[in-house]
Amino acid sequence: MDPHLLRTFVAVATTGSFSAAAQELGYTQSAVSQQIAALESDLGSTLLHRRPVAPTDAGARLLEHAGPILLRLSAARADVARLSGQPAATVVLGVTPFAGAARVAEVLVPVQRSMPRVRFTLLVAGRDAVAAGVATGTLDVGLVDGVTAPSDPLPLPDAGQLSASVLAQSTAVAAFPAGHPLAGRRSLRLADLADATWIDAPDVATPLPQLRALAHSGGFRDGFRYPGTDTGGLLALVAAGAGLALLPGPVTHPGVVGVTVTQPRLVHRVELVHGSLTPPARALANALQS
Protein backbone atom coordinates (compact mmCIF):
# COMPACT_ATOMS: atom_id res chain seq x y z
CA MET A 1 0.00 0.00 0.00
CA ASP A 2 1.48 3.32 -1.10
CA PRO A 3 1.69 5.65 1.93
CA HIS A 4 1.23 8.70 -0.29
CA LEU A 5 -2.11 7.33 -1.44
CA LEU A 6 -3.03 6.52 2.15
CA ARG A 7 -2.28 10.10 3.26
CA THR A 8 -4.46 11.41 0.46
CA PHE A 9 -7.29 9.10 1.50
CA VAL A 10 -7.04 10.30 5.12
CA ALA A 11 -7.14 13.93 3.99
CA VAL A 12 -10.27 13.38 1.88
CA ALA A 13 -12.00 11.30 4.57
CA THR A 14 -11.29 13.80 7.36
CA THR A 15 -12.10 16.97 5.39
CA GLY A 16 -15.11 15.43 3.64
CA SER A 17 -14.09 17.05 0.38
CA PHE A 18 -11.80 16.27 -2.57
CA SER A 19 -11.18 19.98 -3.15
CA ALA A 20 -10.38 20.67 0.52
CA ALA A 21 -7.99 17.71 0.58
CA ALA A 22 -6.31 18.97 -2.58
CA GLN A 23 -5.80 22.40 -1.01
CA GLU A 24 -4.45 20.85 2.19
CA LEU A 25 -2.00 18.60 0.35
CA GLY A 26 -0.99 21.02 -2.38
CA TYR A 27 -2.35 18.83 -5.21
CA THR A 28 -4.89 19.48 -7.91
CA GLN A 29 -8.36 18.07 -7.36
CA SER A 30 -7.95 15.74 -10.33
CA ALA A 31 -4.70 14.39 -8.84
CA VAL A 32 -6.51 13.64 -5.58
CA SER A 33 -9.29 11.84 -7.46
CA GLN A 34 -6.72 9.77 -9.37
CA GLN A 35 -4.91 8.82 -6.17
CA ILE A 36 -8.13 7.70 -4.46
CA ALA A 37 -9.04 5.67 -7.53
CA ALA A 38 -5.59 4.06 -7.53
CA LEU A 39 -5.90 3.15 -3.83
CA GLU A 40 -9.37 1.68 -4.36
CA SER A 41 -8.05 -0.34 -7.29
CA ASP A 42 -5.13 -1.60 -5.22
CA LEU A 43 -7.41 -2.71 -2.35
CA GLY A 44 -10.23 -3.92 -4.56
CA SER A 45 -12.83 -1.98 -2.59
CA THR A 46 -14.72 1.31 -2.78
CA LEU A 47 -13.44 3.45 0.09
CA LEU A 48 -15.44 6.66 -0.30
CA HIS A 49 -18.99 7.57 -1.16
CA ARG A 50 -18.82 10.47 -3.59
CA ARG A 51 -22.01 12.46 -2.93
CA PRO A 52 -21.71 13.38 -0.15
CA VAL A 53 -18.07 12.45 0.41
CA ALA A 54 -17.91 10.00 3.33
CA PRO A 55 -16.09 6.73 4.06
CA THR A 56 -17.76 3.46 3.15
CA ASP A 57 -17.64 0.64 5.70
CA ALA A 58 -14.35 -0.48 4.14
CA GLY A 59 -13.08 3.10 4.15
CA ALA A 60 -13.98 3.56 7.81
CA ARG A 61 -12.03 0.41 8.68
CA LEU A 62 -9.03 1.61 6.65
CA LEU A 63 -9.21 4.97 8.42
CA GLU A 64 -8.82 3.16 11.76
CA HIS A 65 -5.59 1.57 10.50
CA ALA A 66 -4.29 4.66 8.70
CA GLY A 67 -3.43 6.80 11.73
CA PRO A 68 -1.11 4.29 13.42
CA ILE A 69 0.44 3.27 10.06
CA LEU A 70 1.28 6.84 9.05
CA LEU A 71 2.50 7.67 12.55
CA ARG A 72 4.90 4.69 12.51
CA LEU A 73 6.20 5.69 9.06
CA SER A 74 6.84 9.24 10.24
CA ALA A 75 8.45 7.88 13.40
CA ALA A 76 10.78 5.66 11.36
CA ARG A 77 11.88 8.62 9.23
CA ALA A 78 12.50 10.76 12.32
CA ASP A 79 14.40 7.98 14.10
CA VAL A 80 16.77 7.55 11.15
CA ALA A 81 17.22 11.32 10.89
CA ARG A 82 18.15 11.53 14.58
CA LEU A 83 20.98 9.07 13.96
CA SER A 84 22.47 11.14 11.15
CA GLY A 85 24.82 12.91 13.56
CA GLN A 86 23.83 16.42 12.52
CA PRO A 87 24.53 18.99 15.28
CA ALA A 88 21.40 20.26 16.99
CA ALA A 89 20.80 23.99 17.43
CA THR A 90 17.36 23.56 18.98
CA VAL A 91 15.71 21.33 21.59
CA VAL A 92 11.91 21.18 21.87
CA LEU A 93 10.41 19.77 25.06
CA GLY A 94 6.74 18.76 25.01
CA VAL A 95 4.88 18.60 28.32
CA THR A 96 1.33 17.47 29.07
CA PRO A 97 -0.76 19.76 31.31
CA PHE A 98 -0.44 17.84 34.58
CA ALA A 99 3.20 16.74 34.04
CA GLY A 100 4.52 19.52 36.26
CA ALA A 101 5.39 22.52 34.08
CA ALA A 102 6.65 24.52 37.10
CA ARG A 103 9.15 21.82 38.04
CA VAL A 104 10.15 21.49 34.38
CA ALA A 105 10.95 25.21 34.23
CA GLU A 106 13.23 24.87 37.26
CA VAL A 107 15.22 22.21 35.38
CA LEU A 108 15.01 23.67 31.89
CA VAL A 109 16.39 27.15 32.63
CA PRO A 110 19.74 25.99 34.13
CA VAL A 111 20.22 23.54 31.24
CA GLN A 112 19.58 26.33 28.74
CA ARG A 113 22.04 28.62 30.50
CA SER A 114 24.72 25.93 30.30
CA MET A 115 24.26 25.74 26.49
CA PRO A 116 23.64 29.34 25.36
CA ARG A 117 24.02 28.50 21.66
CA VAL A 118 21.15 26.00 21.79
CA ARG A 119 17.61 27.33 21.56
CA PHE A 120 15.18 25.57 23.92
CA THR A 121 11.41 25.56 23.44
CA LEU A 122 8.75 24.41 25.92
CA LEU A 123 5.43 23.30 24.44
CA VAL A 124 2.33 22.27 26.42
CA ALA A 125 0.07 19.83 24.55
CA GLY A 126 -2.16 16.79 25.00
CA ARG A 127 -0.58 13.39 25.72
CA ASP A 128 -1.25 11.92 22.27
CA ALA A 129 0.24 15.02 20.62
CA VAL A 130 3.35 14.86 22.83
CA ALA A 131 3.92 11.14 22.19
CA ALA A 132 3.37 11.55 18.45
CA GLY A 133 5.59 14.65 18.38
CA VAL A 134 8.47 12.77 20.01
CA ALA A 135 8.00 9.84 17.64
CA THR A 136 7.97 12.00 14.52
CA GLY A 137 10.82 14.27 15.58
CA THR A 138 8.93 17.53 16.04
CA LEU A 139 9.68 17.16 19.76
CA ASP A 140 13.04 16.02 21.11
CA VAL A 141 11.89 15.05 24.59
CA GLY A 142 8.42 14.61 26.08
CA LEU A 143 6.90 14.50 29.55
CA VAL A 144 3.54 12.76 29.54
CA ASP A 145 1.16 12.17 32.42
CA GLY A 146 -1.89 10.01 32.89
CA VAL A 147 -3.81 7.64 35.14
CA THR A 148 -3.23 3.90 34.95
CA ALA A 149 -3.03 0.74 37.07
CA PRO A 150 0.23 0.56 39.07
CA SER A 151 1.65 -2.28 36.95
CA ASP A 152 0.50 -0.95 33.55
CA PRO A 153 2.21 1.52 31.19
CA LEU A 154 0.55 4.79 30.35
CA PRO A 155 -1.95 4.38 27.49
CA LEU A 156 -0.12 6.16 24.66
CA PRO A 157 -0.45 5.81 20.87
CA ASP A 158 1.70 3.17 19.18
CA ALA A 159 4.50 5.47 18.09
CA GLY A 160 7.40 3.11 17.53
CA GLN A 161 10.54 2.55 19.57
CA LEU A 162 10.32 5.21 22.27
CA SER A 163 12.14 4.93 25.59
CA ALA A 164 10.08 5.71 28.68
CA SER A 165 11.05 6.16 32.33
CA VAL A 166 8.92 7.05 35.34
CA LEU A 167 9.67 10.46 36.88
CA ALA A 168 6.87 10.77 39.44
CA GLN A 169 3.83 8.92 40.72
CA SER A 170 0.93 10.03 42.91
CA THR A 171 -2.59 9.05 43.92
CA ALA A 172 -5.43 9.34 41.43
CA VAL A 173 -8.53 11.15 42.69
CA ALA A 174 -12.02 11.85 41.46
CA ALA A 175 -12.49 15.63 41.47
CA PHE A 176 -15.89 16.85 42.77
CA PRO A 177 -17.36 20.30 43.32
CA ALA A 178 -17.18 21.08 47.03
CA GLY A 179 -20.95 20.82 47.52
CA HIS A 180 -21.32 17.39 45.90
CA PRO A 181 -22.87 14.68 48.14
CA LEU A 182 -19.84 12.43 47.66
CA ALA A 183 -17.22 15.12 48.23
CA GLY A 184 -16.99 14.19 51.90
CA ARG A 185 -16.06 10.57 51.25
CA ARG A 186 -12.53 9.41 52.10
CA SER A 187 -12.44 6.94 49.19
CA LEU A 188 -14.72 5.37 46.60
CA ARG A 189 -14.95 2.84 43.79
CA LEU A 190 -14.68 4.12 40.24
CA ALA A 191 -17.60 1.93 39.13
CA ASP A 192 -19.85 3.74 41.65
CA LEU A 193 -19.42 6.89 39.54
CA ALA A 194 -20.46 5.35 36.22
CA ASP A 195 -23.84 7.12 36.34
CA ALA A 196 -22.34 10.51 37.18
CA THR A 197 -21.79 13.28 34.65
CA TRP A 198 -18.16 13.77 33.61
CA ILE A 199 -16.22 16.46 31.77
CA ASP A 200 -14.87 15.17 28.47
CA ALA A 201 -11.35 16.66 28.58
CA PRO A 202 -9.12 14.10 26.81
CA ASP A 203 -5.99 16.28 26.76
CA VAL A 204 -6.11 17.12 30.48
CA ALA A 205 -8.15 14.57 32.43
CA THR A 206 -8.50 10.82 32.02
CA PRO A 207 -10.40 10.22 28.72
CA LEU A 208 -13.91 8.79 29.10
CA PRO A 209 -13.21 5.58 27.10
CA GLN A 210 -10.31 4.87 29.46
CA LEU A 211 -12.58 5.45 32.47
CA ARG A 212 -14.97 2.82 31.14
CA ALA A 213 -12.11 0.39 30.57
CA LEU A 214 -10.66 0.95 34.05
CA ALA A 215 -14.03 0.53 35.75
CA HIS A 216 -15.13 -2.38 33.50
CA SER A 217 -18.40 -0.54 33.19
CA GLY A 218 -20.46 1.47 30.75
CA GLY A 219 -21.78 4.93 31.52
CA PHE A 220 -19.43 7.83 32.29
CA ARG A 221 -21.49 10.15 30.12
CA ASP A 222 -20.09 13.56 29.28
CA GLY A 223 -21.94 16.68 30.30
CA PHE A 224 -19.39 19.18 29.01
CA ARG A 225 -16.73 19.04 26.31
CA TYR A 226 -13.39 20.66 27.13
CA PRO A 227 -10.77 20.24 24.37
CA GLY A 228 -8.29 22.65 25.94
CA THR A 229 -5.06 22.04 27.86
CA ASP A 230 -5.46 24.61 30.63
CA THR A 231 -5.69 22.83 33.99
CA GLY A 232 -7.16 25.90 35.70
CA GLY A 233 -10.01 26.01 33.20
CA LEU A 234 -10.82 22.35 33.79
CA LEU A 235 -10.80 22.73 37.59
CA ALA A 236 -13.01 25.82 37.31
CA LEU A 237 -15.54 23.74 35.37
CA VAL A 238 -15.47 21.04 38.05
CA ALA A 239 -15.99 23.68 40.77
CA ALA A 240 -18.95 25.11 38.83
CA GLY A 241 -20.62 21.68 38.66
CA ALA A 242 -20.09 20.95 34.95
CA GLY A 243 -19.00 17.39 35.76
CA LEU A 244 -16.40 15.21 37.42
CA ALA A 245 -12.83 14.48 36.33
CA LEU A 246 -10.23 11.83 37.25
CA LEU A 247 -7.04 13.75 38.10
CA PRO A 248 -3.76 13.57 40.04
CA GLY A 249 -4.04 14.21 43.73
CA PRO A 250 -3.98 16.21 45.82
CA VAL A 251 -6.34 18.82 44.35
CA THR A 252 -5.84 22.32 45.76
CA HIS A 253 -8.18 24.38 43.58
CA PRO A 254 -10.82 26.42 45.47
CA GLY A 255 -14.23 24.76 45.35
CA VAL A 256 -12.87 21.37 44.22
CA VAL A 257 -12.44 18.30 46.42
CA GLY A 258 -10.44 15.22 45.43
CA VAL A 259 -11.59 11.81 46.66
CA THR A 260 -9.15 8.90 46.37
CA VAL A 261 -10.16 6.06 44.05
CA THR A 262 -9.35 2.75 45.78
CA GLN A 263 -11.00 0.26 43.43
CA PRO A 264 -9.47 -0.37 41.06
CA ARG A 265 -6.16 0.82 42.48
CA LEU A 266 -4.99 3.64 40.25
CA VAL A 267 -1.99 5.95 40.12
CA HIS A 268 -1.20 9.15 38.32
CA ARG A 269 2.19 8.85 36.64
CA VAL A 270 4.56 11.21 34.85
CA GLU A 271 6.90 9.59 32.33
CA LEU A 272 9.84 10.89 30.30
CA VAL A 273 9.65 9.68 26.68
CA HIS A 274 12.21 10.08 23.91
CA GLY A 275 13.78 8.43 20.90
CA SER A 276 17.43 8.76 19.90
CA LEU A 277 18.81 11.89 21.58
CA THR A 278 21.16 14.60 20.38
CA PRO A 279 23.74 15.72 23.00
CA PRO A 280 21.72 18.82 24.07
CA ALA A 281 18.50 16.78 24.30
CA ARG A 282 20.30 14.09 26.30
CA ALA A 283 21.57 16.72 28.73
CA LEU A 284 18.00 17.91 29.23
CA ALA A 285 16.70 14.35 29.67
CA ASN A 286 19.39 13.59 32.24
CA ALA A 287 18.56 16.75 34.17
CA LEU A 288 14.87 15.89 34.22
CA GLN A 289 15.61 12.38 35.49
CA SER A 290 17.89 13.63 38.25
Side-chain angles (χ1 to χ4, degrees):
M1 187 186 306
D2 188 329
H4 297 291
L5 302 184
L6 188 59
R7 287 190 178 90
T8 300
F9 164 72
V10 170
V12 175
T14 54
T15 62
S17 166
F18 280 73
S19 59
Q23 185 173 6
E24 178 182 303
L25 297 171
Y27 299 149
T28 64
Q29 185 170 337
S30 62
V32 169
S33 298
Q34 291 169 12
Q35 291 180 37
I36 295 299
L39 183 60
E40 290 178 328
S41 176
D42 178 31
L43 296 178
S45 181
T46 300
L47 301 173
L48 292 167
H49 299 295
R50 269 33 180 200
R51 294 186 180 181
V53 175
T56 62
D57 289 344
R61 182 59 57 85
L62 179 61
L63 198 58
E64 293 175 3
H65 290 287
I69 290 171
L70 294 175
L71 177 57
R72 290 298 298 268
L73 287 172
S74 296
R77 178 182 292 276
D79 206 28
V80 171
R82 279 191 288 257
L83 295 174
S84 65
Q86 294 297 319
T90 63
V91 174
V92 184
L93 170 64
V95 181
T96 55
F98 276 112
R103 173 59 182 150
V104 169
E106 293 177 2
V107 174
L108 181 60
V109 172
V111 173
Q112 189 276 331
R113 286 175 177 167
S114 71
M115 292 180 282
R117 295 189 179 184
V118 179
R119 181 175 183 178
F120 287 82
T121 299
L122 176 62
L123 173 70
V124 178
R127 57 184 63 87
D128 285 357
V130 171
V134 173
T136 58
T138 58
L139 301 176
D140 297 285
V141 181
L143 289 183
V144 293
D145 80 287
V147 171
T148 186
S151 59
D152 291 344
L154 287 181
L156 299 176
D158 181 8
Q161 301 298 317
L162 296 183
S163 298
S165 56
V166 178
L167 296 188
Q169 194 162 282
S170 62
T171 303
V173 300
F176 294 89
H180 194 281
L182 296 179
R185 294 275 296 272
R186 296 187 62 181
S187 63
L188 47 76
R189 300 189 316 155
L190 186 59
D192 291 339
L193 302 175
D195 293 332
T197 300
W198 291 74
I199 298 173
D200 184 15
D203 286 336
V204 190
T206 306
L208 301 190
Q210 188 189 356
L211 285 177
R212 299 182 187 107
L214 290 169
H216 302 288
S217 172
F220 297 95
R221 68 185 184 278
D222 63 287
F224 199 97
R225 171 76 175 164
Y226 184 71
T229 58
D230 176 49
T231 58
L234 172 64
L235 290 167
L237 287 171
V238 173
L244 310 184
L246 189 62
L247 301 174
V251 175
T252 58
H253 191 277
V256 180
V257 175
V259 179
T260 302
V261 175
T262 56
Q263 187 177 343
R265 185 176 171 228
L266 300 173
V267 295
H268 173 264
R269 188 182 301 146
V270 177
E271 293 186 358
L272 173 74
V273 294
H274 61 82
S276 301
L277 293 171
T278 62
R282 183 170 297 282
L284 175 58
N286 290 340
L288 290 167
Q289 288 177 308
S290 63

